[in-house]
Structure formats: C-alpha cells, structure tokens
C-alpha cells in the first residue's frame, strides 16, 4: 500500500528542516569562530604584512618576532614600506625579538625594541624566515620565496605567544 502524501505537508516539513538547520548553524557560529588565512606572494605581499602589523595593532601594543633573516638591510630596503617605521613609532608599538647574535649586533639599540639572541654556534636554522605574533594574528614570512602566510585566530595567536615567551625568557 502506498500512502499518498500531500505536497503541502512535504513543503511544511522541508521548511521546518531548513529552519532547524539554520538555527543549529547559528548556535554553532555563536560558539565557534573560524580562522582566517591569508596567503600572499611576492614583494607586495610581504610589504602588506608589515602594513598590517601597524594597522591592526592599537597604540602601545607589542608584537613578538623570531627571525632568521640573512640580510636585514636588504629586507629593510626591499620589503618594508617607506612609512612603516614612522607609523609604528607614532603608535608606540614595541617589539620583542629573538634573532641570532650576529644579526642583533647589526641593529641599533632602541628603547621600544628588546632583542634576545640565539648563540651563533647553536643556531640550527638560517632559513631566511620570520615568524611574528601580533594581536590575534600570526604570520610566517619566507623571504627566499617571497611568501607571506597570515593566520587570524585568537586562540592560535595566544598559544604561540606563550611558546614565544617560554623561549624568550629562557634566553635572558
């Protein structure tokens, strides 16, 4: 025996299911934020990263960086926007940096930048990569491939900040 079902009842059931799914999605979205991942290539992508650091951090905040840059002057001259340092300093953004002893010696001492160093004889990476934690974002910059990857996720950024502080404090 085949029961006849009216299309009206099916339409009502379908709308109820759609409403229920929509409600479930909104409940999920309220409790789960999604990471945003931005992938950029070439010089402009790296320059955009530096601008994003200044644009997204409030006045007086700190960013954290581990860097294995091979040629810091080349990076300054090639990738950093011309107004970056001025805007960063106007916002009084401080920096906590981990880098090799030899690269740290090339840097001028500044009050708003604290550098801890990895001994040159113990540095096991020279990949020309920079890793930065700023606000709710983390960024990997590969200067050799001219590639930047920025992940915006508060939980991931906080986790990396804790790891950074462990390493940073162990080098003091």
């Amino acid at each position: 025996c085949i029961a006849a079902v009216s299309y009206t009842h099916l339409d009502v059931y379908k709308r109820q299911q759609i409403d229920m799914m929509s409600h479930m999605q909104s409940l999920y979205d309220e409790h789960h934020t999604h990471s945003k991942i931005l992938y950029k290539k070439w010089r402009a992508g790296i320059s955009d990263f530096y601008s994003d650091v200044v644009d997204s951090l409030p006045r007086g905040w700190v960013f954290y960086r581990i860097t294995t840059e091979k040629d810091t002057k080349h990076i300054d001259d090639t990738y950093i926007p011309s107004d970056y340092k001025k805007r960063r300093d106007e916002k009084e953004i401080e920096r906590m940096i981990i880098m090799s002893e030899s690269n740290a010696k090339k840097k001028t001492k500044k009050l708003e930048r604290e550098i801890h160093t990895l001994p040159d004889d113990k540095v096991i990476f020279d990949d020309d990569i920079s890793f930065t934690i700023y606000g709710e974002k983390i960024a990997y910059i590969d200067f050799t491939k001219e590639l930047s990857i920025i992940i915006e996720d508060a939980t991931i950024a906080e986790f990396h900040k804790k790891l950074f502080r462990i390493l940073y404090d162990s080098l003091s």
Side-chain angles (χ1 to χ4, degrees):
C1 175
I2 298 175
V5 178
S6 87
Y7 287 107
T8 309
H9 291 305
L10 285 175
D11 288 338
V12 169
Y13 178 75
K14 181 180 173 184
R15 279 194 299 267
Q16 288 173 340
Q17 293 303 309
I18 290 171
D19 289 345
M20 184 178 70
M21 295 288 281
S22 177
H23 178 69
M24 289 171 61
Q25 182 66 45
S26 68
L27 290 174
Y28 177 83
D29 289 343
E30 286 176 15
H31 299 289
H32 297 87
T33 57
H34 303 286
S35 301
K36 294 178 189 169
I37 301 172
L38 184 62
Y39 173 94
K40 290 189 174 185
K41 291 274 296 169
W42 316 122
R43 182 180 298 172
I46 295 173
S47 293
D48 289 349
F49 152 72
Y50 283 102
S51 292
D52 189 48
V53 170
V54 174
D55 293 340
S56 62
L57 287 180
R59 175 178 296 282
W61 275 47
V62 176
F63 70 75
Y64 310 86
R65 177 174 291 147
I66 300 173
T67 184
T68 62
E69 301 164 356
K70 291 180 182 176
D71 184 351
T72 57
K73 181 168 179 6
H74 170 72
I75 288 168
D76 285 354
D77 295 343
T78 307
Y79 301 106
I80 296 180
S82 58
D83 65 342
Y84 166 78
K85 291 179 182 180
K86 179 179 184 258
R87 293 188 315 127
R88 180 198 64 205
D89 293 347
E90 285 172 353
K91 287 183 83 173
E92 300 173 350
I93 295 172
E94 297 184 27
R95 285 108 57 212
M96 297 176 77
I97 301 171
I98 298 172
M99 65 179 5
S100 69
E101 285 178 337
S102 54
N103 275 342
K105 289 176 184 174
K106 298 175 190 173
K107 297 285 188 182
T108 307
K109 291 188 186 269
K110 295 182 179 181
L111 288 175
E112 67 279 356
R113 178 179 64 206
E114 191 173 336
I115 299 174
H116 287 197
T117 60
L118 296 165
D120 286 330
D121 62 340
K122 298 206 191 300
V123 174
I124 56 173
F125 45 79
D126 60 351
D127 306 302
D128 213 16
I129 291 177
S130 176
F131 171 70
T132 305
I133 308 155
Y134 61 107
E136 295 184 348
K137 301 176 185 180
I138 64 170
Y140 295 93
I141 310 298
D142 184 330
F143 294 102
T144 303
K145 295 177 185 171
E146 289 192 323
L147 166 71
S148 66
I149 301 168
I150 299 172
I151 301 170
E152 184 174 354
D153 184 296
T155 305
I156 291 173
E158 191 59 34
F159 171 76
H160 280 84
K161 195 182 303 179
K162 290 173 187 173
L163 291 176
F164 177 92
R165 290 307 305 234
I166 291 168
L167 177 59
Y168 190 83
D169 292 345
S170 74
L171 295 170
S172 55

mmCIF file of all heavy atoms in Angstrom, residues 82-119:
data_model
loop_
_atom_site.group_PDB
_atom_site.id
_atom_site.type_symbol
_atom_site.label_atom_id
_atom_site.label_comp_id
_atom_site.label_asym_id
_atom_site.label_seq_id
_atom_site.Cartn_x
_atom_site.Cartn_y
_atom_site.Cartn_z
ATOM 1 N N SER A 82 57.852 52.440 3.063
ATOM 2 C CA SER A 82 58.626 53.624 3.436
ATOM 3 C C SER A 82 58.087 54.320 4.681
ATOM 4 O O SER A 82 58.854 54.913 5.439
ATOM 5 C CB SER A 82 58.687 54.618 2.268
ATOM 6 O OG SER A 82 57.367 54.985 1.887
ATOM 7 N N ASP A 83 56.785 54.232 4.939
ATOM 8 C CA ASP A 83 56.218 54.894 6.108
ATOM 9 C C ASP A 83 56.037 53.957 7.306
ATOM 10 O O ASP A 83 55.540 54.362 8.348
ATOM 11 C CB ASP A 83 54.873 55.528 5.745
ATOM 12 C CG ASP A 83 53.813 54.499 5.363
ATOM 13 O OD1 ASP A 83 54.175 53.338 5.037
ATOM 14 O OD2 ASP A 83 52.618 54.854 5.395
ATOM 15 N N TYR A 84 56.454 52.707 7.176
ATOM 16 C CA TYR A 84 56.227 51.713 8.225
ATOM 17 C C TYR A 84 56.843 52.125 9.558
ATOM 18 O O TYR A 84 56.157 52.150 10.595
ATOM 19 C CB TYR A 84 56.776 50.348 7.799
ATOM 20 C CG TYR A 84 56.891 49.347 8.931
ATOM 21 C CD1 TYR A 84 55.767 48.669 9.400
ATOM 22 C CD2 TYR A 84 58.115 49.090 9.538
ATOM 23 C CE1 TYR A 84 55.860 47.758 10.436
ATOM 24 C CE2 TYR A 84 58.211 48.180 10.578
ATOM 25 C CZ TYR A 84 57.092 47.525 11.018
ATOM 26 O OH TYR A 84 57.191 46.634 12.053
ATOM 27 N N LYS A 85 58.118 52.438 9.569
ATOM 28 C CA LYS A 85 58.805 52.736 10.838
ATOM 29 C C LYS A 85 58.230 53.989 11.495
ATOM 30 O O LYS A 85 58.047 54.019 12.719
ATOM 31 C CB LYS A 85 60.309 52.869 10.606
ATOM 32 C CG LYS A 85 60.948 51.535 10.243
ATOM 33 C CD LYS A 85 62.425 51.663 9.984
ATOM 34 C CE LYS A 85 62.990 50.304 9.585
ATOM 35 N NZ LYS A 85 64.415 50.344 9.312
ATOM 36 N N LYS A 86 57.904 54.983 10.694
ATOM 37 C CA LYS A 86 57.319 56.212 11.238
ATOM 38 C C LYS A 86 55.959 55.914 11.875
ATOM 39 O O LYS A 86 55.696 56.324 13.009
ATOM 40 C CB LYS A 86 57.170 57.256 10.122
ATOM 41 C CG LYS A 86 56.551 58.557 10.569
ATOM 42 C CD LYS A 86 56.457 59.533 9.394
ATOM 43 C CE LYS A 86 55.943 60.857 9.835
ATOM 44 N NZ LYS A 86 54.555 61.097 9.520
ATOM 45 N N ARG A 87 55.104 55.189 11.160
ATOM 46 C CA ARG A 87 53.772 54.861 11.689
ATOM 47 C C ARG A 87 53.872 53.960 12.916
ATOM 48 O O ARG A 87 53.135 54.132 13.889
ATOM 49 C CB ARG A 87 52.912 54.212 10.605
ATOM 50 C CG ARG A 87 52.567 55.167 9.485
ATOM 51 C CD ARG A 87 51.564 54.643 8.467
ATOM 52 N NE ARG A 87 51.799 53.294 8.025
ATOM 53 C CZ ARG A 87 50.868 52.325 8.064
ATOM 54 N NH1 ARG A 87 49.670 52.563 8.517
ATOM 55 N NH2 ARG A 87 51.154 51.123 7.632
ATOM 56 N N ARG A 88 54.799 52.990 12.886
ATOM 57 C CA ARG A 88 54.998 52.092 14.027
ATOM 58 C C ARG A 88 55.426 52.887 15.254
ATOM 59 O O ARG A 88 54.902 52.701 16.354
ATOM 60 C CB ARG A 88 56.062 51.047 13.668
ATOM 61 C CG ARG A 88 56.357 50.046 14.771
ATOM 62 C CD ARG A 88 57.669 49.354 14.534
ATOM 63 N NE ARG A 88 58.762 50.310 14.583
ATOM 64 C CZ ARG A 88 59.930 50.155 13.973
ATOM 65 N NH1 ARG A 88 60.176 49.081 13.256
ATOM 66 N NH2 ARG A 88 60.880 51.074 14.085
ATOM 67 N N ASP A 89 56.369 53.795 15.063
ATOM 68 C CA ASP A 89 56.869 54.587 16.186
ATOM 69 C C ASP A 89 55.820 55.580 16.698
ATOM 70 O O ASP A 89 55.736 55.826 17.902
ATOM 71 C CB ASP A 89 58.156 55.303 15.787
ATOM 72 C CG ASP A 89 59.306 54.330 15.547
ATOM 73 O OD1 ASP A 89 59.185 53.146 15.929
ATOM 74 O OD2 ASP A 89 60.322 54.751 14.950
ATOM 75 N N GLU A 90 55.015 56.143 15.801
ATOM 76 C CA GLU A 90 53.944 57.045 16.232
ATOM 77 C C GLU A 90 52.919 56.313 17.100
ATOM 78 O O GLU A 90 52.357 56.891 18.016
ATOM 79 C CB GLU A 90 53.238 57.656 15.018
ATOM 80 C CG GLU A 90 54.047 58.748 14.337
ATOM 81 C CD GLU A 90 53.425 59.226 13.022
ATOM 82 O OE1 GLU A 90 52.422 58.617 12.555
ATOM 83 O OE2 GLU A 90 53.955 60.199 12.460
ATOM 84 N N LYS A 91 52.681 55.051 16.806
ATOM 85 C CA LYS A 91 51.734 54.251 17.601
ATOM 86 C C LYS A 91 52.404 53.629 18.824
ATOM 87 O O LYS A 91 51.755 52.922 19.585
ATOM 88 C CB LYS A 91 51.108 53.154 16.732
ATOM 89 C CG LYS A 91 50.092 53.709 15.739
ATOM 90 C CD LYS A 91 49.433 52.614 14.947
ATOM 91 C CE LYS A 91 48.297 51.999 15.696
ATOM 92 N NZ LYS A 91 47.521 51.037 14.877
ATOM 93 N N GLU A 92 53.700 53.890 18.991
ATOM 94 C CA GLU A 92 54.469 53.383 20.133
ATOM 95 C C GLU A 92 54.345 51.866 20.264
ATOM 96 O O GLU A 92 54.165 51.328 21.362
ATOM 97 C CB GLU A 92 54.036 54.089 21.416
ATOM 98 C CG GLU A 92 54.257 55.593 21.368
ATOM 99 C CD GLU A 92 53.672 56.332 22.566
ATOM 100 O OE1 GLU A 92 52.929 55.720 23.363
ATOM 101 O OE2 GLU A 92 53.958 57.525 22.692
ATOM 102 N N ILE A 93 54.449 51.196 19.134
ATOM 103 C CA ILE A 93 54.389 49.733 19.128
ATOM 104 C C ILE A 93 55.758 49.189 19.509
ATOM 105 O O ILE A 93 56.767 49.566 18.915
ATOM 106 C CB ILE A 93 53.942 49.217 17.744
ATOM 107 C CG1 ILE A 93 52.505 49.678 17.463
ATOM 108 C CG2 ILE A 93 54.059 47.701 17.674
ATOM 109 C CD1 ILE A 93 52.019 49.398 16.066
ATOM 110 N N GLU A 94 55.765 48.349 20.517
ATOM 111 C CA GLU A 94 57.014 47.775 20.993
ATOM 112 C C GLU A 94 57.246 46.421 20.347
ATOM 113 O O GLU A 94 56.310 45.770 19.886
ATOM 114 C CB GLU A 94 56.984 47.645 22.522
ATOM 115 C CG GLU A 94 56.872 49.000 23.198
ATOM 116 C CD GLU A 94 56.947 48.903 24.701
ATOM 117 O OE1 GLU A 94 57.576 47.950 25.212
ATOM 118 O OE2 GLU A 94 56.363 49.762 25.363
ATOM 119 N N ARG A 95 58.516 46.005 20.325
ATOM 120 C CA ARG A 95 58.885 44.743 19.707
ATOM 121 C C ARG A 95 59.712 43.901 20.654
ATOM 122 O O ARG A 95 60.615 44.400 21.300
ATOM 123 C CB ARG A 95 59.713 44.997 18.443
ATOM 124 C CG ARG A 95 58.898 45.475 17.301
ATOM 125 C CD ARG A 95 59.078 46.918 16.945
ATOM 126 N NE ARG A 95 60.429 47.345 16.631
ATOM 127 C CZ ARG A 95 60.861 48.565 16.892
ATOM 128 N NH1 ARG A 95 60.097 49.447 17.474
ATOM 129 N NH2 ARG A 95 62.071 48.928 16.560
ATOM 130 N N MET A 96 59.382 42.627 20.696
ATOM 131 C CA MET A 96 60.196 41.648 21.410
ATOM 132 C C MET A 96 60.676 40.686 20.334
ATOM 133 O O MET A 96 59.861 40.065 19.644
ATOM 134 C CB MET A 96 59.379 40.943 22.484
ATOM 135 C CG MET A 96 58.875 41.890 23.565
ATOM 136 S SD MET A 96 57.810 41.084 24.790
ATOM 137 C CE MET A 96 59.042 40.239 25.754
ATOM 138 N N ILE A 97 61.985 40.578 20.188
ATOM 139 C CA ILE A 97 62.547 39.857 19.051
ATOM 140 C C ILE A 97 63.574 38.832 19.520
ATOM 141 O O ILE A 97 64.361 39.090 20.426
ATOM 142 C CB ILE A 97 63.202 40.845 18.060
ATOM 143 C CG1 ILE A 97 62.153 41.841 17.570
ATOM 144 C CG2 ILE A 97 63.855 40.120 16.900
ATOM 145 C CD1 ILE A 97 62.689 42.981 16.761
ATOM 146 N N ILE A 98 63.545 37.691 18.853
ATOM 147 C CA ILE A 98 64.575 36.669 19.019
ATOM 148 C C ILE A 98 65.274 36.536 17.679
ATOM 149 O O ILE A 98 64.617 36.346 16.653
ATOM 150 C CB ILE A 98 63.967 35.307 19.443
ATOM 151 C CG1 ILE A 98 63.261 35.432 20.797
ATOM 152 C CG2 ILE A 98 65.043 34.227 19.478
ATOM 153 C CD1 ILE A 98 62.463 34.199 21.193
ATOM 154 N N MET A 99 66.591 36.676 17.703
ATOM 155 C CA MET A 99 67.373 36.553 16.465
ATOM 156 C C MET A 99 68.782 36.089 16.805
ATOM 157 O O MET A 99 69.145 35.980 17.974
ATOM 158 C CB MET A 99 67.388 37.877 15.692
ATOM 159 C CG MET A 99 68.091 38.994 16.400
ATOM 160 S SD MET A 99 68.180 40.619 15.550
ATOM 161 C CE MET A 99 67.231 40.481 14.098
ATOM 162 N N SER A 100 69.572 35.837 15.790
ATOM 163 C CA SER A 100 70.949 35.391 16.013
ATOM 164 C C SER A 100 71.789 36.535 16.588
ATOM 165 O O SER A 100 71.481 37.714 16.394
ATOM 166 C CB SER A 100 71.565 34.912 14.697
ATOM 167 O OG SER A 100 71.772 36.005 13.831
ATOM 168 N N GLU A 101 72.857 36.172 17.288
ATOM 169 C CA GLU A 101 73.766 37.173 17.848
ATOM 170 C C GLU A 101 74.343 38.068 16.756
ATOM 171 O O GLU A 101 74.413 39.285 16.914
ATOM 172 C CB GLU A 101 74.921 36.486 18.588
ATOM 173 C CG GLU A 101 74.556 35.905 19.912
ATOM 174 C CD GLU A 101 75.733 35.194 20.582
ATOM 175 O OE1 GLU A 101 76.679 34.765 19.886
ATOM 176 O OE2 GLU A 101 75.687 35.060 21.814
ATOM 177 N N SER A 102 74.749 37.467 15.637
ATOM 178 C CA SER A 102 75.390 38.251 14.581
ATOM 179 C C SER A 102 74.428 39.268 13.971
ATOM 180 O O SER A 102 74.827 40.406 13.705
ATOM 181 C CB SER A 102 75.965 37.340 13.498
ATOM 182 O OG SER A 102 74.985 36.470 13.001
ATOM 183 N N ASN A 103 73.167 38.912 13.780
ATOM 184 C CA ASN A 103 72.208 39.892 13.253
ATOM 185 C C ASN A 103 71.847 40.940 14.293
ATOM 186 O O ASN A 103 71.628 42.101 13.955
ATOM 187 C CB ASN A 103 70.945 39.202 12.734
ATOM 188 C CG ASN A 103 71.099 38.724 11.309
ATOM 189 O OD1 ASN A 103 71.988 39.166 10.585
ATOM 190 N ND2 ASN A 103 70.235 37.819 10.907
ATOM 191 N N ALA A 104 71.786 40.548 15.545
ATOM 192 C CA ALA A 104 71.465 41.510 16.606
ATOM 193 C C ALA A 104 72.542 42.590 16.704
ATOM 194 O O ALA A 104 72.233 43.748 16.982
ATOM 195 C CB ALA A 104 71.309 40.790 17.939
ATOM 196 N N LYS A 105 73.788 42.224 16.451
ATOM 197 C CA LYS A 105 74.877 43.197 16.508
ATOM 198 C C LYS A 105 74.742 44.273 15.438
ATOM 199 O O LYS A 105 75.251 45.377 15.588
ATOM 200 C CB LYS A 105 76.232 42.496 16.357
ATOM 201 C CG LYS A 105 76.600 41.675 17.573
ATOM 202 C CD LYS A 105 77.895 40.925 17.364
ATOM 203 C CE LYS A 105 78.185 40.027 18.555
ATOM 204 N NZ LYS A 105 79.352 39.163 18.338
ATOM 205 N N LYS A 106 74.033 43.983 14.367
ATOM 206 C CA LYS A 106 73.832 44.947 13.275
ATOM 207 C C LYS A 106 72.719 45.947 13.593
ATOM 208 O O LYS A 106 72.577 46.944 12.908
ATOM 209 C CB LYS A 106 73.469 44.205 11.979
ATOM 210 C CG LYS A 106 74.540 43.267 11.490
ATOM 211 C CD LYS A 106 74.033 42.488 10.287
ATOM 212 C CE LYS A 106 74.988 41.375 9.913
ATOM 213 N NZ LYS A 106 74.442 40.506 8.854
ATOM 214 N N LYS A 107 71.934 45.670 14.614
ATOM 215 C CA LYS A 107 70.795 46.517 14.962
ATOM 216 C C LYS A 107 71.206 47.602 15.950
ATOM 217 O O LYS A 107 71.979 47.365 16.866
ATOM 218 C CB LYS A 107 69.666 45.676 15.594
ATOM 219 C CG LYS A 107 69.075 44.631 14.672
ATOM 220 C CD LYS A 107 68.189 45.299 13.661
ATOM 221 C CE LYS A 107 67.412 44.299 12.842
ATOM 222 N NZ LYS A 107 66.588 44.962 11.842
ATOM 223 N N THR A 108 70.657 48.785 15.760
ATOM 224 C CA THR A 108 70.849 49.886 16.697
ATOM 225 C C THR A 108 69.947 49.645 17.903
ATOM 226 O O THR A 108 68.791 49.264 17.736
ATOM 227 C CB THR A 108 70.449 51.225 16.031
ATOM 228 O OG1 THR A 108 71.144 51.352 14.805
ATOM 229 C CG2 THR A 108 70.756 52.400 16.933
ATOM 230 N N LYS A 109 70.468 49.879 19.101
ATOM 231 C CA LYS A 109 69.651 49.679 20.302
ATOM 232 C C LYS A 109 68.555 50.744 20.357
ATOM 233 O O LYS A 109 68.807 51.911 20.111
ATOM 234 C CB LYS A 109 70.518 49.749 21.558
ATOM 235 C CG LYS A 109 71.468 48.573 21.683
ATOM 236 C CD LYS A 109 72.160 48.572 23.039
ATOM 237 C CE LYS A 109 73.210 47.501 23.100
ATOM 238 N NZ LYS A 109 72.756 46.247 23.597
ATOM 239 N N LYS A 110 67.333 50.293 20.681
ATOM 240 C CA LYS A 110 66.190 51.196 20.786
ATOM 241 C C LYS A 110 65.383 50.818 22.009
ATOM 242 O O LYS A 110 65.252 49.641 22.346
ATOM 243 C CB LYS A 110 65.307 51.095 19.532
ATOM 244 C CG LYS A 110 66.012 51.560 18.277
ATOM 245 C CD LYS A 110 65.092 51.492 17.087
ATOM 246 C CE LYS A 110 65.833 51.995 15.863
ATOM 247 N NZ LYS A 110 64.994 51.977 14.678
ATOM 248 N N LEU A 111 64.798 51.815 22.662
ATOM 249 C CA LEU A 111 64.003 51.570 23.866
ATOM 250 C C LEU A 111 62.783 50.705 23.581
ATOM 251 O O LEU A 111 62.372 49.902 24.405
ATOM 252 C CB LEU A 111 63.551 52.895 24.485
ATOM 253 C CG LEU A 111 64.637 53.717 25.168
ATOM 254 C CD1 LEU A 111 64.071 55.058 25.625
ATOM 255 C CD2 LEU A 111 65.204 52.950 26.360
ATOM 256 N N GLU A 112 62.167 50.893 22.417
ATOM 257 C CA GLU A 112 60.935 50.167 22.111
ATOM 258 C C GLU A 112 61.170 48.789 21.481
ATOM 259 O O GLU A 112 60.245 48.140 21.043
ATOM 260 C CB GLU A 112 60.024 51.008 21.200
ATOM 261 C CG GLU A 112 60.559 51.243 19.815
ATOM 262 C CD GLU A 112 61.592 52.374 19.717
ATOM 263 O OE1 GLU A 112 61.868 53.052 20.708
ATOM 264 O OE2 GLU A 112 62.131 52.546 18.613
ATOM 265 N N ARG A 113 62.427 48.356 21.456
ATOM 266 C CA ARG A 113 62.736 47.038 20.890
ATOM 267 C C ARG A 113 63.675 46.302 21.840
ATOM 268 O O ARG A 113 64.736 46.790 22.187
ATOM 269 C CB ARG A 113 63.412 47.189 19.529
ATOM 270 C CG ARG A 113 63.783 45.838 18.928
ATOM 271 C CD ARG A 113 64.419 45.972 17.572
ATOM 272 N NE ARG A 113 65.682 46.678 17.653
ATOM 273 C CZ ARG A 113 66.205 47.366 16.644
ATOM 274 N NH1 ARG A 113 65.597 47.451 15.499
ATOM 275 N NH2 ARG A 113 67.365 47.984 16.790
ATOM 276 N N GLU A 114 63.231 45.131 22.256
ATOM 277 C CA GLU A 114 64.049 44.296 23.121
ATOM 278 C C GLU A 114 64.412 43.038 22.344
ATOM 279 O O GLU A 114 63.541 42.337 21.845
ATOM 280 C CB GLU A 114 63.267 43.944 24.388
ATOM 281 C CG GLU A 114 64.117 43.300 25.443
ATOM 282 C CD GLU A 114 63.359 43.125 26.752
ATOM 283 O OE1 GLU A 114 62.396 43.848 27.008
ATOM 284 O OE2 GLU A 114 63.753 42.213 27.505
ATOM 285 N N ILE A 115 65.707 42.782 22.240
ATOM 286 C CA ILE A 115 66.185 41.640 21.472
ATOM 287 C C ILE A 115 66.871 40.645 22.394
ATOM 288 O O ILE A 115 67.734 41.019 23.182
ATOM 289 C CB ILE A 115 67.184 42.075 20.368
ATOM 290 C CG1 ILE A 115 66.517 43.028 19.385
ATOM 291 C CG2 ILE A 115 67.757 40.868 19.649
ATOM 292 C CD1 ILE A 115 67.470 43.618 18.355
ATOM 293 N N HIS A 116 66.457 39.400 22.285
ATOM 294 C CA HIS A 116 67.181 38.305 22.916
ATOM 295 C C HIS A 116 67.788 37.492 21.788
ATOM 296 O O HIS A 116 67.176 37.340 20.725
ATOM 297 C CB HIS A 116 66.254 37.451 23.772
ATOM 298 C CG HIS A 116 65.847 38.131 25.043
ATOM 299 N ND1 HIS A 116 65.319 37.440 26.104
ATOM 300 C CD2 HIS A 116 65.880 39.421 25.443
ATOM 301 C CE1 HIS A 116 65.063 38.268 27.092
ATOM 302 N NE2 HIS A 116 65.383 39.486 26.705
ATOM 303 N N THR A 117 68.973 36.979 22.033
ATOM 304 C CA THR A 117 69.692 36.343 20.933
ATOM 305 C C THR A 117 69.893 34.844 21.138
ATOM 306 O O THR A 117 69.962 34.350 22.258
ATOM 307 C CB THR A 117 71.077 36.991 20.745
ATOM 308 O OG1 THR A 117 71.831 36.829 21.943
ATOM 309 C CG2 THR A 117 70.954 38.462 20.398
ATOM 310 N N LEU A 118 69.971 34.197 19.995
ATOM 311 C CA LEU A 118 70.361 32.793 19.947
ATOM 312 C C LEU A 118 71.845 32.775 19.610
ATOM 313 O O LEU A 118 72.269 33.466 18.665
ATOM 314 C CB LEU A 118 69.576 32.059 18.861
ATOM 315 C CG LEU A 118 68.066 31.974 19.072
ATOM 316 C CD1 LEU A 118 67.370 31.570 17.785
ATOM 317 C CD2 LEU A 118 67.759 30.981 20.176
ATOM 318 N N PRO A 119 72.646 32.040 20.352
ATOM 319 C CA PRO A 119 74.086 31.997 20.065
ATOM 320 C C PRO A 119 74.330 31.493 18.640
ATOM 321 O O PRO A 119 73.708 30.528 18.193
ATOM 322 C CB PRO A 119 74.641 31.011 21.095
ATOM 323 C CG PRO A 119 73.580 30.881 22.140
ATOM 324 C CD PRO A 119 72.281 31.193 21.479
#
